[in-house]
Amino acid sequence: MGCVSSKRRLQPKIQAEVRLLYHSRGIQRRLFDLIVVVALSLFVQRLFHFGLFSLSLNPPHSDERTGRHKFPTCERVGRPDDETPISAHHVYSASGLLHVNPDGIHPILALIRRAEDEWDRKLDRASRTLEEAVSEYKRRYRRDPPLGFDDWWDFAQEMEVLLPDEYDSIHRELEPFWGMDPKDLAKMQAELETRVDTFTISKNATHDTNLVATSFSDPENWERNDLLLGLKEIINLLDPVEPALRSFRAVFSSHPEPSLLSDYHVKKKFLDAAAARRYVNLTELPKVHHLGFVSACAPGTPGRTMNHNRGSTDDPTDRMERTFIYDHRLSMDPCQNPPLFDHHTHYISKNDRISPQPRIAPLFSYSTTTLYHDIQPPSFLGWTAGPSLEYDLEWQDKTDERLRWRGSSVGMVNNENTHWKNAHRSRLIALANDLNGTGSFLIPGRVEDEGWWRVGGGTVMKKSLVNPALLDVAFSGEPAGCDIQFCRHMETQLEWRKEKGFQEKDMGKYKYILDASSLLLTVLDGWLIFRLASGG
C-alpha cells in the first residue's frame, strides 16, 4: 500500500486501552462509547466537509507506459525521538485546520502526538489547591473568581474533577454581559420571559429551583412539541448544589438551536466595556447591519470580506489542498471557514430570514455557534445511548468495520427553490455513495524501524472500491420536509434504506457509528463537546 507513516509504539498502548475499556461494563463503557462516537463524528464529518478526498483526472503517480498506478516512494523524515525538520512541518492555520505538507509525517499521527502533548501539559498545570486555582483564574481571565468559587472548588474536589481550571467557554459566553448595567440586565431578562417558546426557572428564599413561567406559541400542544424538553434535566443537574445556590431567575429557549444572532459591532461594544470595567449606555449602541449571518463576522475575516455567493455549488472537496481539523471550535467558525455558510443545513435554511439582534440578551439555549450570543447551560440533550448491552457486542465480536450512519432529511424545507443538495447530510450521503472517478487517499502503510515517513501526495484509488468498503451511509425511512412530488424526486437522487425505527440489533455489530444528524457535532457548540478532551 501507499507508504504513509505510522507509529508502532502507539499500537500496543491503544490496543490495551481498547481491551480494558471494552471489557468493563456500566457507565465507563457508555462514556467510552460516547467518546468514540463523538471522535469519529468530528473526524469523518469534517474530513468530508473540508476535503479528505481530492479528485484528479490525471493521477500523479501513474505509469505512462502501462497505465498502472504507482505507490509513492517511502522517504523517512526522522525518528520519533528526533525533532522533525522545519521544512516538514504541517501548517496549523487560525481557522482550526491543519494544512498538509507532503514532506511531513502522516497528519493523523501528527494530530495524535499534538493531542497527547496538549493533554499531558493540561494535566501537569492543573491546580492542586484553592490558592492555585484562584491565581490561575486571575491569570487567564484578568478578574477575580466569582462569589462562591470556594464552594465550587470543594465540590470539584469531591467529584475528583481532573481539570478544575477550564472555564473558557463559560467566560466567553458571559463576558459581554459584564459590560451591561445590572439594572438594564434585569430589565432585559424580564422582557425575555415573554419571548415566544421560552420557559423560566427561578429560586428564591421561599422555594428551591423550579419552573415559574412559560411562553409558548402553541400552548395547547406544548407537550407534543417537547417545549419543556430540557427542564427536568436542568433541575436534576442543579439538585446536588441546590443548597449553595443564591436567588436567581433564568430564561431558557425551548428549542435545541440558538436564536440570538449577534451583530459584530454591537457585541464588541459590550466586550470593550467589560474589559474596561464600565457599562454600555444602551442608547448609544452601534447601528445594526442586516447582512444575515455575516453580520456577526468581524471586518477583515474571510466570511465578511469575500465575495460570497449564498447557495454556491462550489464543493470544498474538489480542492486539491488537504486539510484536517486540529481545533474543533475554530473550524466551526464560518467567519474563518466561509464554505460552512453554503454547506450546512443550519445556515442555508435560515440566512434569508435571519437578522442580528439590536442588543445582547441573557437567553439560555442548549447550543450556540460563534455567531450567536446565547448562553449554554450544561446539557446532555445530544446524548445518544446507542444499542443496549444486550445487542452491543464486545469490540472483537463486532463484525462490520464500515462507518455507519442512518438519519432523516429533516432540518430544512426541501424543494426545487432551496439548496437541499448542499445540506450537510445530503452531501455526506452523496460523497459516501459516489462510485464515479477516483480519489486521492492518505493510506496508512508499512513502517520500518519506527521511523517518521513523509506522507507524500497520496494514493489514487477508485471510489467504487473504497467507498463501499469503508462506508455504510444512507437516509432511512421516507423523505421528510418536502411535498409528495418532490419527496419522490429526492428518493431518486440519494441513497435511502427502508429501515423503520431504531435498528438496535443491527447497529450493535458495527464498530464505528457516525452522528451526522446532530448539529452539535458540526457547527453548533454543544456544551458536552468541549468537555471531551483527548488523552494519551
Side-chain angles (χ1 to χ4, degrees):
M1 301 299 287
C3 185
V4 178
S5 59
S6 178
K7 195 163 63 168
R8 186 177 299 163
R9 67 183 177 86
L10 284 178
Q11 195 65 22
K13 178 181 179 182
I14 293 174
Q15 292 177 344
E17 290 179 355
V18 168
R19 285 196 297 267
L20 173 63
L21 287 165
Y22 263 89
H23 278 83
S24 62
R25 312 297 283 185
I27 187 64
Q28 288 183 338
R29 175 172 179 177
R30 308 316 308 167
L31 288 175
F32 183 73
D33 288 344
L34 175 65
I35 293 171
V36 169
V37 169
V38 169
L40 281 169
S41 299
L42 300 182
F43 176 63
V44 179
Q45 177 86 13
R46 307 300 286 178
L47 292 185
F48 273 124
H49 192 92
F50 286 107
L52 169 62
F53 307 117
S54 54
L55 307 183
S56 175
L57 297 178
N58 299 303
H61 301 293
S62 61
D63 189 315
E64 295 179 357
R65 294 172 298 176
T66 65
R68 295 179 180 177
H69 294 164
K70 288 184 176 180
F71 296 122
T73 303
C74 297
E75 297 180 28
R76 190 171 69 182
V77 175
R79 295 184 61 82
D81 52 354
D82 296 334
E83 289 191 12
T84 304
I86 297 299
S87 61
H89 286 179
H90 300 299
V91 177
Y92 295 83
S93 69
S95 61
L97 303 181
L98 177 156
H99 299 258
V100 176
N101 179 352
D103 292 325
I105 65 174
H106 192 289
I108 295 300
L109 295 181
L111 292 171
I112 289 175
R113 184 167 64 177
R114 179 188 178 95
E116 289 179 334
D117 290 344
E118 288 183 347
W119 175 253
D120 290 340
R121 287 196 299 269
K122 186 171 288 189
L123 285 179
D124 289 343
R125 67 172 180 260
S127 296
R128 303 292 190 268
T129 66
L130 175 59
E131 291 72 19
E132 291 179 358
V134 170
S135 177
E136 177 65 11
Y137 191 100
K138 291 180 178 179
R139 185 192 69 81
R140 290 195 190 190
Y141 309 116
R142 300 180 300 281
R143 62 174 61 244
D144 290 334
L147 189 65
F149 189 75
D150 52 346
D151 292 331
W152 155 250
W153 176 260
D154 291 340
F155 181 76
Q157 294 302 294
E158 181 182 349
M159 295 293 106
E160 299 182 351
V161 174
L162 288 177
L163 303 173
D165 302 308
E166 307 305 315
Y167 308 105
D168 288 0
S169 60
I170 297 174
H171 180 271
R172 183 170 52 246
E173 293 169 10
L174 295 183
E175 187 178 14
F177 298 99
W178 294 330
M180 182 179 291
D181 188 301
K183 294 180 181 178
D184 292 332
L185 189 62
K187 181 179 179 181
M188 294 182 67
Q189 186 272 332
E191 294 175 357
L192 275 178
E193 293 191 16
T194 62
R195 184 182 177 91
V196 174
D197 287 347
T198 62
F199 62 89
T200 304
I201 65 173
S202 172
K203 175 185 178 176
N204 60 29
T206 62
H207 68 77
D208 287 342
T209 304
N210 210 339
L211 177 70
V212 294
T214 60
S215 179
F216 298 147
S217 55
D218 187 2
E220 300 298 323
N221 295 302
W222 67 266
E223 189 170 10
R224 178 168 62 91
N225 295 331
D226 283 334
L227 296 183
L228 287 175
L229 180 63
L231 173 62
K232 183 177 180 180
E233 178 190 72
I234 293 168
I235 299 298
N236 289 341
L237 283 172
L238 292 177
D239 183 67
V241 295
E242 185 74 39
L245 295 179
R246 293 166 176 80
S247 296
F248 74 92
R249 201 171 179 97
V251 183
F252 289 77
S253 171
S254 296
H255 301 293
E257 297 185 14
S259 58
L260 302 181
L261 181 67
S262 301
D263 177 275
Y264 171 79
H265 297 284
V266 171
K267 186 176 180 180
K268 186 176 185 300
K269 185 84 171 178
F270 285 98
L271 288 172
D272 291 344
R277 303 295 198 272
R278 57 180 177 80
Y279 300 136
V280 170
N281 185 334
L282 298 185
T283 64
E284 298 177 356
L285 290 174
K287 181 181 178 180
V288 169
H289 296 79
H290 294 277
L291 306 174
F293 285 113
V294 177
S295 304
C297 295
T301 57
R304 186 105 176 196
T305 59
M306 72 182 300
N307 182 16
H308 200 56
N309 179 21
R310 190 67 58 219
S312 167
T313 57
D314 173 56
D315 192 336
T317 58
D318 286 338
R319 300 177 306 186
M320 294 302 294
E321 182 185 29
R322 297 179 189 274
T323 55
F324 290 75
I325 290 178
Y326 78 89
D327 187 301
H328 185 205
R329 185 174 187 277
L330 291 178
S331 73
M332 293 163 68
D333 183 357
C335 297
Q336 296 295 333
N337 294 301
L340 287 171
F341 282 131
D342 292 325
H343 298 290
H344 197 283
T345 302
H346 179 75
Y347 293 123
I348 62 178
S349 65
K350 294 180 173 63
N351 190 66
D352 294 336
R353 53 187 175 86
I354 193 166
S355 296
Q357 301 294 309
R359 57 188 181 182
I360 62 174
L363 178 67
F364 288 84
S365 299
Y366 301 116
S367 63
T368 187
T369 83
T370 55
L371 307 186
Y372 292 82
H373 56 266
D374 299 58
I375 305 169
Q376 291 185 88
S379 174
F380 290 90
L381 290 184
W383 174 279
T384 300
S388 66
L389 293 178
E390 178 183 359
Y391 298 115
D392 191 10
L393 305 176
E394 295 291 344
W395 179 260
Q396 67 272 14
D397 297 328
K398 293 177 181 288
T399 57
D400 201 320
E401 299 196 16
R402 293 175 298 168
L403 182 71
R404 182 187 192 274
W405 179 78
R406 296 291 187 272
S408 70
S409 59
V410 298
M412 65 176 293
V413 176
N414 299 302
N415 58 48
E416 62 274 7
N417 298 318
T418 62
H419 301 285
W420 66 276
K421 282 190 175 181
N422 286 9
H424 65 288
R425 278 167 280 186
S426 297
R427 290 185 61 251
L428 171 63
I429 290 175
L431 285 167
N433 293 280
D434 183 9
L435 304 181
N436 299 314
T438 61
S440 178
F441 301 85
L442 303 182
I443 303 175
R446 183 173 57 85
V447 172
E448 299 176 358
D449 71 357
E450 298 185 348
W452 292 107
W453 301 94
R454 78 184 290 273
V455 64
T459 300
V460 176
M461 299 179 67
K462 291 182 179 180
K463 293 182 182 179
S464 59
L465 296 176
V466 176
N467 284 354
L470 298 181
L471 305 167
D472 181 9
V473 174
F475 280 128
S476 61
E478 304 289 340
C482 47
D483 59 37
I484 296 178
Q485 183 176 356
F486 199 79
C487 282
R488 290 174 179 171
H489 171 69
M490 290 180 66
E491 286 185 311
T492 68
Q493 299 297 303
L494 296 170
E495 187 74 14
W496 297 81
R497 306 284 168 79
K498 301 300 181 181
E499 301 169 348
K500 294 183 179 180
F502 182 66
Q503 303 295 310
E504 187 175 40
K505 185 174 182 180
D506 180 61
M507 188 177 178
K509 71 179 183 181
Y510 286 82
K511 286 186 175 180
Y512 309 106
I513 305 294
L514 173 67
D515 183 357
S517 301
S518 175
L519 293 173
L520 305 183
L521 300 180
T522 47
V523 298
L524 300 187
D525 296 1
W527 180 87
L528 179 62
I529 297 303
F530 299 106
R531 273 72 184 176
L532 295 177
S534 55

